[in-house]
Amino acid sequence: MHFFGRTLLATAVALTAFSVSAKPDNAAIESKLSALGLAPTSISPSPVPGMNEALTDRGIVYVSDNGEYFIAGHLYQNTGAQPVNLTEQKMAKINKGKLQGMEDEMIVYPAKDEKYVVTVFTDTSCGYCRKLHSEIPAYNDAGITIRYLAFPRGGERSRNLDEMGAIWGAKDPAQAMNDAKNGTFNTEGVKPRNDIVMKQFELGQAMGVSGTPALVLEDGTLIPGYQPAPMLRKMLDSKAKS
């Protein structure tokens, strides 16, 4: 699924003009989104007239009343001193809930003096994922516990799917992840748990993950991309004070 822009202003005006229904046609919206491979789990009014918020298995999209126009992007409210990302706020609440109950499947590197917990969707073939992993002692020293979930970027077509499955199937997944990230993991004799990896991959997609590493904070906020430990700790401290 491609994302067609980061703002909704001009398109929102167009959608309001194009909307031909007096009220949302949920059946039409579901049909149009399903044709795109999106399965809406809920459809509700958005703050923009003529548009609806559809929660799908790939995150939130905004759809016209008749389903003929949609936007995949972030909706901002611009009524205060600074724009507020309404999409990010909504997804954070949803994402926080989605991670509950997943703890037993995570590979955890705990901080001795834990102040924060950050969940990371990772891919062993990703250069910045390897960089992040090599700096786990720095994150831990900064009071940040790192928890891994799998996100092989090519899904079932990923060349490293079996390797990632073997990590989650290993007797010591944390050590297996260490070995995989430095290129020394031997998968021989390990029964891969590709089912767990694909379950986590689909979870990541539903949470809006499109690349790795993707960091999820305790409040559910999704931070795409690598963040050095000092920068991440500063961000976490700032959020804790707000």
Side-chain angles (χ1 to χ4, degrees):
M1 176 179 177
H2 297 286
F3 292 90
F4 300 107
R6 298 181 182 274
T7 65
L8 299 178
L9 180 58
T11 314
V13 174
L15 282 173
T16 302
F18 281 124
S19 181
V20 297
S21 303
K23 59 181 180 179
D25 185 342
N26 285 7
I29 291 172
E30 291 178 5
S31 176
K32 293 291 187 181
L33 291 180
S34 295
L36 297 173
L38 298 174
T41 56
S42 69
I43 300 171
S44 58
S46 85
V48 180
M51 297 180 64
N52 304 277
E53 178 185 282
L55 179 61
T56 78
D57 53 351
R58 300 292 183 91
I60 292 173
V61 296
Y62 298 94
V63 193
S64 63
D65 284 344
N66 59 10
E68 294 181 3
Y69 301 89
F70 77 96
I71 296 173
H74 287 187
L75 175 64
Y76 291 82
Q77 183 178 23
N78 193 27
T79 57
Q82 296 290 333
V84 176
N85 190 329
L86 299 180
T87 308
E88 184 178 89
Q89 285 185 346
K90 180 69 174 286
M91 284 303 302
K93 293 178 182 178
I94 294 171
N95 289 346
K96 183 178 180 180
K98 286 181 180 295
L99 288 181
Q100 292 179 355
M102 295 294 296
E103 293 81 4
D104 289 346
E105 293 185 10
M106 296 178 180
I107 299 175
V108 183
Y109 297 84
K112 184 176 181 180
D113 184 18
E114 181 181 286
K115 300 297 183 183
Y116 303 104
V117 176
V118 174
T119 304
V120 180
F121 282 91
T122 192
D123 182 334
T124 55
S125 69
C126 159
Y128 275 104
C129 292
R130 290 194 292 270
K131 179 174 176 60
L132 185 154
H133 190 78
S134 71
E135 296 172 9
I136 279 184
Y139 292 102
N140 289 165
D141 288 346
I144 303 170
T145 289
I146 297 295
R147 312 187 304 185
Y148 279 139
L149 288 172
F151 195 84
R153 290 167 293 172
E156 291 181 342
R157 298 186 299 276
S158 299
R159 293 183 178 180
N160 63 330
L161 178 60
D162 287 342
E163 177 186 62
M164 295 194 70
I167 293 171
W168 263 264
K171 292 182 179 179
D172 185 348
Q175 184 58 51
M177 181 68 77
N178 293 342
D179 294 342
K181 289 291 178 74
N182 64 31
T184 62
F185 181 41
N186 183 359
T187 63
E188 185 176 353
V190 179
K191 182 179 179 180
R193 292 301 309 273
N194 294 7
D195 56 327
I196 293 178
V197 170
M198 287 307 302
K199 174 186 172 184
Q200 294 178 6
F201 172 76
E202 290 166 3
L203 171 68
Q205 286 188 311
M207 292 174 63
V209 175
S210 58
T212 55
L215 286 59
V216 186
L217 309 187
E218 289 175 90
D219 67 354
T221 300
L222 178 65
I223 308 294
Y226 161 80
Q227 299 286 333
M231 185 180 299
L232 182 58
R233 176 60 193 258
K234 184 177 180 180
M235 179 192 304
L236 294 168
D237 286 341
S238 177
K239 285 181 68 68
K241 293 176 182 177
S242 60

